[in-house]
Amino acid sequence: MTSIHDVAALAKVSIKTVSRVVNKAPNVSPELRDRVQAAIEQLGYRPNQSARRLAGGRSFMIAFLYNNPAPGYVSRIQIGAAWRCRELGYHLVVEPISHGGEERFEVLDRLVAALRPDGVLLVPPLSDDPGLLARLVEMGLPYARIAGSGKEGGFTIETPERAGGRMVADHLIALGHRRIGVITPPSTHHAAQHRVEGFRDGLAAAGLPVEEDLFLQGRFDFASGIEAGEALLALPQPPSAIFATNDEMALGVLTLAHNIGLRVPEDLSVAGFDDTTASHTSWPPLTTVRQPLEDMGRRVIDALAKGPAEGAGFEFTLIERGSSGPPS
């Protein structure tokens, strides 16, 4: 079996230099890094993970904890995080965990005892779970959050949720819609509540009234999109468009429209949020707000593996597709 000594001999460097290249350490010249990497590839060297742990006091594992009923959102973040982990020599451990209750602490305790991850990645609603964040601090375990609110510790990727909601309002109003239903997020998804605030901003800017009966809460899953859509379309004056604050619920509205014989977008326009893979393949394709989910996953891994870095924030983009059009 090829050893680190063989790599060092072929590259004509010290064992310490090989170790620093393998562990992605800074302050290694590009010339040396390329030479060592070429030797690693030529010899087919695979570093001993146990030895890496002992040498650096790290597990080279990052835990991704989630409790989110929208699989498209979670999977895109996971893809970006997993690829970045591979590039940096880490492994991503994915663990579903409850929101609220003692069970989440038991899962976390077992995970840490078994794997001792170097950090934890959190997405909504866990990003704003004060009990979970406090337990991570108590354990001395670094964490990074996507779309976390509040001033808790750890690295947080801030996302322009309010601006995204405003984009949808402006788009539907510009098409001529005046009664627009909104399927709001669960109360535990604090950051996503800003999408609704942004939508209200758009109504106010256009001089349209905020009609509270047009705002119904969903659960961020497909079934609640159908349920809220049924309630909105059963109103004495049903909306001509529905904005669901995530794609899963918007896809539920699309399915409902097809089932009851409504044409989309001629009879009902539908817009979502996230730009998940399913939004491309639905019929018609879904108008939605694109979050760069894979890039966000990569950025969080960088923060946990290498430390937070200064950089430009992420931008959301309205993607206009066939599910939205002028009211008939």
Side-chain angles (χ1 to χ4, degrees), residues 206-278:
L208 296 177
V210 175
E211 301 180 57
E212 294 300 337
D213 62 336
L214 291 174
F215 290 74
L216 295 181
Q217 188 176 76
R219 299 185 300 273
F220 259 18
D221 61 7
F222 182 84
S224 68
I226 293 177
E227 294 164 10
E230 288 176 334
L232 288 167
L233 294 174
L235 290 171
Q237 287 185 280
S240 61
I242 294 178
F243 166 42
T245 49
N246 83 338
D247 284 349
E248 291 294 320
M249 297 192 297
L251 293 170
V253 175
L254 274 182
T255 298
L256 169 66
H258 292 317
N259 289 343
I260 63 177
L262 290 180
R263 299 168 301 163
V264 178
E266 292 84 357
D267 300 324
L268 178 70
S269 284
V270 181
F273 204 106
D274 288 338
D275 193 37
T276 57
T277 302

Side-chain angles (χ1 to χ4, degrees), residues 108-132:
L108 180 62
D109 290 346
R110 289 197 301 269
L111 176 71
V112 172
L115 301 176
R116 304 201 65 80
D118 294 330
V120 174
L121 186 168
L122 300 170
V123 295
L126 299 181
S127 300
D128 288 314
D129 183 330
L132 182 62

Side-chain angles (χ1 to χ4, degrees), residues 254-320:
L254 274 182
T255 298
L256 169 66
H258 292 317
N259 289 343
I260 63 177
L262 290 180
R263 299 168 301 163
V264 178
E266 292 84 357
D267 300 324
L268 178 70
S269 284
V270 181
F273 204 106
D274 288 338
D275 193 37
T276 57
T277 302
S279 71
H280 305 210
T281 57
S282 64
W283 186 256
L286 186 64
T287 292
T288 186
V289 174
R290 174 175 292 163
Q291 295 193 63
L293 297 172
E294 293 180 21
D295 288 342
M296 289 157 63
R298 294 174 66 88
R299 175 79 66 85
V300 169
I301 296 303
D302 278 340
L304 290 169
K306 304 193 297 183
E310 295 294 329
F314 290 101
E315 293 185 359
F316 288 0
T317 308
L318 180 72
I319 307 299
E320 300 179 29

Side-chain angles (χ1 to χ4, degrees), residues 18-162:
V18 176
S19 178
R20 293 181 69 189
V21 171
V22 168
N23 291 317
K24 314 293 183 182
N27 302 323
V28 178
S29 71
E31 187 273 329
L32 278 181
R33 192 178 298 278
D34 291 345
R35 193 195 312 169
V36 171
Q37 196 60 47
I40 288 172
E41 293 172 4
Q42 181 177 335
L43 296 173
Y45 172 66
R46 293 292 178 269
N48 184 297
Q49 195 72 6
S50 297
R52 290 182 74 198
R53 294 184 187 186
L54 290 173
R58 292 183 288 171
S59 66
F60 294 94
M61 292 187 182
I62 291 174
F64 176 20
L65 306 183
Y66 72 93
N67 177 275
N68 191 306
Y73 174 85
V74 171
S75 65
R76 292 275 303 282
I77 291 174
Q78 180 182 332
I79 288 169
W83 277 108
R84 189 57 176 155
C85 278
R86 180 176 295 183
E87 292 166 358
L88 296 176
Y90 281 73
H91 295 279
L92 187 70
V93 180
V94 182
E95 189 78 46
I97 192 169
S98 63
H99 179 65
E102 291 298 315
E103 178 193 355
R104 69 198 197 284
F105 298 139
E106 296 171 6
V107 172
L108 180 62
D109 290 346
R110 289 197 301 269
L111 176 71
V112 172
L115 301 176
R116 304 201 65 80
D118 294 330
V120 174
L121 186 168
L122 300 170
V123 295
L126 299 181
S127 300
D128 288 314
D129 183 330
L132 182 62
L133 299 180
R135 177 61 68 93
L136 291 170
V137 171
E138 180 184 321
M139 300 172 104
L141 196 55
Y143 65 84
R145 304 181 295 161
I146 289 178
S149 58
K151 301 298 183 183
E152 287 80 0
F155 172 75
T156 298
I157 286 184
E158 297 182 0
T159 50
E161 310 284 342
R162 189 163 187 155

